[in-house]
Amino acid sequence: VMEALDNLSHFSRAFYEQTRGKMAVSIFLSSMALMCLAYVSIYGGMSDSANNVKNVYVGYHDDSMEKSQEALAAGFGFGAFIFFIAFAVFIAAAVYISPAFCGSPNENLMISHPANVEQGDMLQNCASEYPTNPVHKL
């Protein structure tokens, strides 16, 4: 692969590096989604634990412990819900950014077999008339 990268034109090399960057961002977003899923599990377990502890304090003269456990259960439950929403957003963003899932045909080609891709070829080979994230010349 390294020999093929040395022979790429300037535009193709920039396109290849951009595709690699998008793949790295997609992997990072996927790992963030998995972290959020772990927090969903943790917060869900803490909510369930606070709910179980609340039942121990039922019938006591002072119901402040029962109310505090209710508040903990509700707070951890809400936290689990928010982390699940974050999980869904991170997964959607990872799929949207990924050149493997939502990339142009040239991005799919660049992931496995780097080759020279010229700007005219990009417009002819893409499914739409707009290539994803065109390289801007400064």
Side-chain angles (χ1 to χ4, degrees):
V1 171
M2 291 305 289
E3 297 90 22
L5 292 177
D6 292 337
N7 297 330
L8 292 178
S9 68
H10 178 70
F11 176 77
S12 297
R13 180 63 186 236
F15 188 72
Y16 170 75
E17 294 296 336
Q18 173 190 346
T19 303
R20 275 186 49 192
K22 286 175 70 173
M23 184 59 88
V25 168
S26 176
I27 291 170
F28 174 74
L29 289 173
S30 299
S31 66
M32 292 296 291
L34 291 176
M35 183 191 71
C36 285
L37 194 61
Y39 279 126
V40 167
S41 175
I42 290 169
Y43 276 46
M46 294 295 284
S47 176
D48 191 41
S49 173
N51 232 353
N52 288 339
V53 170
K54 176 189 76 163
N55 294 335
V56 172
Y57 295 111
V58 172
Y60 275 68
H61 178 68
D62 183 17
D63 65 345
S64 62
M65 289 300 287
E66 183 182 351
K67 288 190 185 290
S68 67
Q69 291 301 318
E70 271 182 26
L72 275 176
F76 280 123
F78 182 71
F81 171 73
I82 293 299
F83 275 117
F84 185 77
I85 296 297
F87 164 75
V89 168
F90 277 129
I91 284 292
V95 168
Y96 182 74
I97 297 266
S98 174
F101 292 114
C102 293
S104 68
N106 284 325
E107 285 178 330
N108 286 331
L109 175 71
M110 281 294 189
I111 292 172
S112 57
H113 305 302
N116 276 325
V117 177
E118 298 305 322
Q119 288 177 341
D121 293 339
M122 283 185 64
L123 292 177
Q124 291 171 1
N125 291 338
C126 283
S128 69
E129 60 183 284
Y130 303 108
T132 56
N133 296 336
V135 176
H136 299 289
K137 303 221 186 229
L138 298 175

